[in-house]
Structure formats: structure tokens, C-alpha cells
């Protein structure tokens, strides 16, 4: 049972444009969400997180939006840069627990 | 480097041998997680440990796999009698723990190849 889903395995975007990566979840108990970026042969790197008490969190070029009623979150990267080309994972957790459930990832390619 | 350290980066084992993967968490972190990534798949939770305690090993195969996080030294993920299906990237992560949610910080992984 995949509780966290990233339905787009890949995405290509022109440099300078917006990249939007999507993530859906099924467990309504999740209240803490994270995005990670992963380059080949490296470990995932934490990008940004959001608690369910918010619907938006911004950090530089990265913004995460949370729609609790739709059980959906998205990561916006503006403007996209070639160095952003990587696999992006969303993850979800229930506060006070220790389990972080990851999606299967979306491979972003930013074209110069 | 105060990040999560994993070694070795690459490990080749023949079928039937044992694999030992080591992980030193970030300084100040007392919670360690192990995840496995099979080719073209996401990260699958294996086990969560605190010092000297296994808290949740529900993601670990019932046989051949074990993990520990001793009072002194790194966390160890041990795979006995490896098979080809164990070939994967194994990532260790650590967190501060405590009451507030906090992100996991990952090491660069150990890529296990079973021949």
C-alpha cells in the first residue's frame, strides 16, 4: 500500500521557468511533509518541509504548498536552473512517530 | 565533515557471504534509520534505532537481516548469506529525535552488489 505517491516519474522544464512537482498521500494522520533532492551516487538532501498547520512554506527559490483537503502537496522551483536536475522525493510523517514514508520520486530535467 | 558518514561506499559480495554496512550519525543525533533503494524504486524504510535499542524493524526482511546501534561506535546493518536480490543502495539517516518533527539527514549510501 503506497501511502505517498508521486505519479509523474519524470518532468522536463526549460531553464528559467517554473518546475512543479506533485505528491499525493492517503493517510490523513500525516502532519509533517518534506521534500528531498537526490543526485546520482549521493544520498538524498533535505530541501524544505511543511507542517500541516501551514499551507505554504517558502525558502529562496523553493516553495512547498499543502492542500490538506485534497491530501496533496507540491514543490515549486522558480526559476529553475540546470543544477536543479535531480530526482525529487516527497516524504510524510506523523508527528511524534518516527516513520517517514517516501514517494517513488520524480526525475526533473532542467534544459539549458 | 559533521554529516552522516557511511562506509564502505561500494561493497561487492558473492552469494552466501556476509555484508556489513556501517553508519555514523550526525553529531548530536541519537536516532538512526536505515532505508533501502532498489533500482528504479523509491526509498523503503527498513529499521529505526536509538542507542542500544531497536525501536521498529518492521521494514526488515525477517531472515538474514539485522541491525544494531551500540552505545559506542557506529550503527551496523548486517546481511547474512547475501543473495542477488539484496543488491541495492542502502542509506542511513539520522535525526535529532525529541518531540518536534525534524528532517532526516542522509549519508551517501552503500551500494551493495551481490555477484
Amino acid at each position: 500500500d503506497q501511502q505517498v505517491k508521486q505519479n509523474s516519474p519524470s518532468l522536463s522544464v526549460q531553464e528559467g521557468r517554473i518546475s512543479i512537482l506533485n505528491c499525493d498521500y492517503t493517510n490523513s494522520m500525516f502532519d509533517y511533509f518534506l521534500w528531498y533532492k537526490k543526485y546520482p551516487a549521493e544520498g538524498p538532501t533535505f530541501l524544505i518541509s511543511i507542517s500541516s498547520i501551514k499551507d505554504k512554506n517558502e525558502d529562496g527559490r523553493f516553495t512547498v504548498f499543502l492542500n490538506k483537503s485534497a491530501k496533496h502537496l507540491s514543490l515549486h522551483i522558480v526559476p529553475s536552473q540546470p543544477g536543479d536536475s535531480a530526482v525529487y522525493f516527497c516524504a510524510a510523517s506523523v508527528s511524534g512517530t518516527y516513520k517517514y514514508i517516501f514517494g517513488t520520486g520524480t526525475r526533473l530535467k532542467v534544459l539549458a | 565533515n559533521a554529516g552522516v558518514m557511511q562506509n564502505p561506499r561500494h561493497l561487492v559480495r558473492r552469494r552466501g557471504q556476509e555484508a556489513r554496512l556501517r553508519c555514523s550519525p550526525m553529531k548530536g543525533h541519537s536516532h538512526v534509520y536505515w532505508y533501502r533503494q532498489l533500482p528504479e524504486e523509491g526509498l523503503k524504510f527498513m529499521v529505526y534505532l536509538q542507542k542500544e535499542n531497536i525501536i521498529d524493524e518492521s521494514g526488515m526482511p525477517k531472515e538474514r537481516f539485522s541491525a544494531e546501534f551500540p552505545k559506542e561506535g557506529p550503527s551496523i546493518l548486517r546481511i547474512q548469506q547475501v543473495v542477488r536480490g539484496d543488491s541495492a543502495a542502502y542509506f542511513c539517516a539520522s535525526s535529532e529525535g525529541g518531540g518536534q518533527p525534524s528532517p532526516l539527514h542522509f549519508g551517501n549510501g552503500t551500494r551493495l552488489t551481490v555477484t
Side-chain angles (χ1 to χ4, degrees):
Chain A
D1 175 30
Q2 189 68 26
Q3 296 186 64
V4 178
K5 299 178 185 178
Q6 293 177 258
N7 291 318
S8 299
S10 63
L11 174 68
S12 290
V13 170
Q14 283 295 133
E15 182 180 7
R17 308 293 287 266
I18 184 171
S19 294
I20 300 176
L21 297 107
N22 294 303
C23 180
D24 297 293
Y25 60 96
T26 57
N27 187 345
S28 57
M29 298 293 291
F30 287 145
D31 59 1
Y32 182 59
F33 304 89
L34 312 92
W35 283 95
Y36 284 81
K37 176 170 74 174
K38 186 182 181 303
Y39 293 121
E42 293 185 13
T45 302
F46 170 68
L47 275 176
I48 191 168
S49 64
I50 187 167
S51 162
S52 61
I53 61 173
K54 294 184 174 183
D55 53 20
K56 176 182 172 181
N57 190 25
E58 194 171 348
D59 184 0
R61 296 186 298 116
F62 301 92
T63 303
V64 55
F65 295 92
L66 176 62
N67 182 334
K68 288 184 287 294
S69 60
K71 294 194 183 71
H72 177 84
L73 66 154
S74 61
L75 176 69
H76 293 211
I77 307 173
V78 182
S80 301
Q81 299 172 354
D84 296 329
S85 297
V87 177
Y88 289 78
F89 292 98
C90 66
S93 174
V94 177
S95 292
T97 71
Y98 45 79
K99 247 183 187 162
Y100 293 72
I101 307 298
F102 283 78
T104 52
T106 295
R107 186 177 303 274
L108 173 66
K109 190 170 185 179
V110 179
L111 307 168
Chain B
N1 185 346
V4 177
M5 302 301 292
Q6 288 188 252
N7 67 82
R9 288 297 308 274
H10 300 275
L11 184 60
V12 179
R13 285 287 177 266
R14 290 201 179 106
R15 278 181 299 169
Q17 292 185 318
E18 178 180 286
R20 278 183 179 243
L21 289 65
R22 285 175 288 279
C23 169
S24 295
M26 279 183 74
K27 191 172 182 180
H29 286 189
S30 58
H31 296 235
V32 166
Y33 306 73
W34 286 93
Y35 282 80
R36 176 165 67 173
Q37 185 181 25
L38 294 167
E40 305 303 319
E41 292 190 15
L43 296 158
K44 299 290 187 188
F45 169 81
M46 298 183 74
V47 62
Y48 164 58
L49 309 105
Q50 295 179 20
K51 280 285 186 185
E52 300 184 275
N53 286 308
I54 297 174
I55 308 301
D56 184 344
E57 55 183 349
S58 60
M60 293 256 277
K62 294 284 183 275
E63 296 175 352
R64 302 187 297 107
F65 284 72
S66 62
E68 63 178 14
F69 188 17
K71 188 176 178 182
E72 302 289 339
S75 175
I76 306 285
L77 179 67
R78 183 180 176 207
I79 311 172
Q80 295 178 290
Q81 299 172 340
V82 295
V83 301
R84 288 224 171 98
D86 298 332
S87 295
Y90 292 82
F91 291 98
C92 171
S94 71
S95 72
E96 295 175 354
Q100 295 299 317
S102 59
L104 301 184
H105 296 272
F106 283 85
N108 280 331
T110 292
R111 195 161 304 274
L112 173 65
T113 302
V114 179
T115 61

